[in-house]
């Protein structure tokens, strides 16, 4: 097996932007004055997928909008967002002053409830609407920067769903005998190689305490698979003392363990680090 080079970073999280959105990115790359104004066209898309088994293990409070609290556990990757990115490791944010409108995507709601749920109880910050649902955050912050590949709200969510179904990560992993929710550990290099072979591009993987928390697939602007960034200039605060293990897991969780809990949900914007690997 070819030697893999692992790059790592512990990202500082911005609490005000992350409550309710988990692994959302801070908007620090865009000056406040630029919000709602034209920014240069993005270079590629990243389809960010969450592994519920890792995220839901932090749940301490249940509510109607929290997908972790469903009676049956989520056993496939769910969508976090479709993010327009730059090749220098930064990204545009909040590009057009267009408020989220649930009526525009009402036909997609059954699929989005199932495959794009929020995994938190708290509301998300948005660019223009104050606080709102998870989907509002994704559209206003990322979707408004997706032009000219994506023109409107319906196309944004439809495109993300289409890519999610076409490139099913859970099925890709199974082709390499990597199975989710079975409690086993797998070599990180095997996970990356399996995705790269099945998808046609190298993924990005974010881990938390040895478990996959998020996996990203990257696409050209015309939605063809491509490698995610491996340019070390995008990483900061490298620390060899803090890295995901070479063996990682895709854990299961039991919603019955917390479904009646009255404790608060643990905020994701905590002091614990997230570690970012790419091939």
């Amino acid at each position: 097996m070819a030697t893999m080079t692992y790059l790592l970073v512990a990202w500082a999280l911005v609490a005000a932007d992350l409550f309710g959105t988990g692994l959302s990115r801070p908007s620090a790359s865009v000056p406040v004055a630029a919000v709602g104004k034209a920014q240069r066209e993005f270079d590629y898309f990243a389809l960010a997928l969450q592994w519920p088994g890792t995220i839901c293990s932090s749940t301490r409070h249940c509510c109607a909008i929290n997908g972790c609290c469903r009676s049956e556990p989520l056993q496939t990757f769910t969508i976090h967002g479709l993010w327009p990115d730059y090749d220098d490791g930064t990204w545009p944010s909040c590009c057009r002053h267009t408020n989220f409108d649930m009526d525009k995507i009402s036909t997609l709601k059954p699929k989005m409830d199932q495959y794009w749920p929020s995994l938190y109880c708290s509301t998300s910050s948005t660019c223009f609407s104050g606080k709102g649902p998870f989907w509002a955050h994704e559209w206003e912050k990322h979707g408004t920067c997706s032009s000219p590949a994506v023109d409107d709200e319906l196309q944004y969510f439809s495109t993300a769903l289409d890519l999610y179904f076409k490139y099913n990560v859970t099925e890709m992993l199974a082709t390499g005998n990597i199975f989710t929710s079975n409690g086993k550990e797998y070599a990180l290099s095997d996970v990356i190689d399996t995705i790269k072979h099945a998808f046609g591009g190298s993924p990005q993987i974010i881990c938390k305490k040895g478990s996959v928390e998020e996996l990203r697939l990257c696409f050209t602007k015309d939605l063809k698979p491509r490698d995610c960034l491996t340019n070390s200039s995008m990483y900061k605060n490298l620390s060899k003392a803090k890295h995901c293990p070479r063996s990682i897991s895709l854990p299961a969780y039991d919603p019955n363990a917390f479904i009646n809990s009255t404790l608060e949900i643990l905020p994701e914007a905590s002091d614990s680090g997230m570690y970012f690997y790419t091939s």
Side-chain angles (χ1 to χ4, degrees):
M1 182 178 296
T3 302
M4 307 294 296
T5 301
Y6 301 110
L7 296 174
L8 149 164
V9 66
W11 283 351
L13 303 180
V14 179
D17 192 51
L18 296 187
F19 288 157
T21 60
L23 298 174
S24 294
R25 296 162 162 183
S27 299
S29 64
V30 180
V32 173
V35 173
K37 294 186 178 181
Q39 299 170 54
R40 64 185 171 93
E41 187 176 320
F42 73 101
D43 295 319
Y44 72 97
F45 279 118
L47 179 66
L49 306 174
Q50 302 178 112
W51 180 245
T54 302
I55 295 173
C56 293
S57 64
S58 295
T59 299
R60 297 294 182 271
H61 175 68
C62 279
C63 60
I65 64 172
N66 190 341
C68 296
C69 299
R70 296 173 183 174
S71 58
E72 295 296 326
L74 298 166
Q75 297 182 333
T76 61
F77 282 90
T78 61
I79 302 172
H80 183 168
L82 182 64
W83 299 343
D85 283 351
Y86 295 133
D87 281 328
D88 64 3
T90 62
W91 53 87
S93 180
C94 307
C95 295
R96 287 182 287 131
H97 199 127
T98 305
N99 289 7
F100 174 76
D101 184 350
M102 186 65 227
D103 289 340
K104 292 181 178 179
I105 58 169
S106 58
T107 58
L108 301 179
K109 190 174 185 301
K111 286 185 177 179
M112 291 179 63
D113 283 335
Q114 184 172 358
Y115 300 108
W116 200 332
S118 173
L119 301 182
Y120 304 89
C121 281
S122 50
T123 56
S124 305
S125 61
T126 66
C127 302
F128 314 115
S129 306
K131 291 286 185 177
F134 178 36
W135 301 331
H137 171 92
E138 294 302 312
W139 163 245
E140 293 187 15
K141 183 175 180 180
H142 302 292
T144 61
C145 299
S146 300
S147 180
V150 171
D151 293 324
D152 56 42
E153 184 180 320
L154 177 61
Q155 187 182 9
Y156 172 73
F157 288 104
S158 296
T159 299
L161 286 167
D162 288 345
L163 293 174
Y164 173 79
F165 291 122
K166 184 175 181 179
Y167 300 101
N168 186 309
V169 169
T170 308
E171 292 180 359
M172 289 184 202
L173 291 172
T175 65
N177 293 317
I178 297 170
F179 301 102
T180 60
S181 303
N182 63 2
K184 292 185 177 181
E185 292 188 344
Y186 297 97
L188 180 59
S189 59
D190 289 347
V191 173
I192 293 174
D193 284 346
T194 297
I195 294 294
K196 186 172 183 177
H197 177 76
F199 172 65
S202 298
Q204 295 173 343
I205 299 177
I206 292 175
C207 300
K208 180 179 180 181
K209 297 181 179 179
S211 299
V212 174
E213 189 163 30
E214 187 162 297
L215 187 150
R216 297 171 186 165
L217 302 177
C218 295
F219 299 86
T220 63
K221 285 187 282 190
D222 58 354
L223 305 180
K224 300 293 192 298
R226 58 158 276 177
D227 289 336
C228 292
L229 287 187
T230 59
N231 187 347
S232 61
S233 66
M234 71 178 290
Y235 304 116
K236 297 179 181 180
N237 303 319
L238 294 178
S239 172
K240 291 183 178 180
K242 294 183 178 181
H243 59 83
C244 288
R246 295 182 181 273
S247 295
I248 58 176
S249 65
L250 290 149
Y253 71 99
D254 180 8
N256 293 318
F258 50 75
I259 199 165
N260 294 318
S261 174
T262 58
L263 298 177
E264 294 292 332
I265 189 168
L266 292 179
E268 287 299 309
S270 66
D271 292 332
S272 60
M274 290 189 303
Y275 311 111
F276 183 18
Y277 287 87
T278 181
S279 62

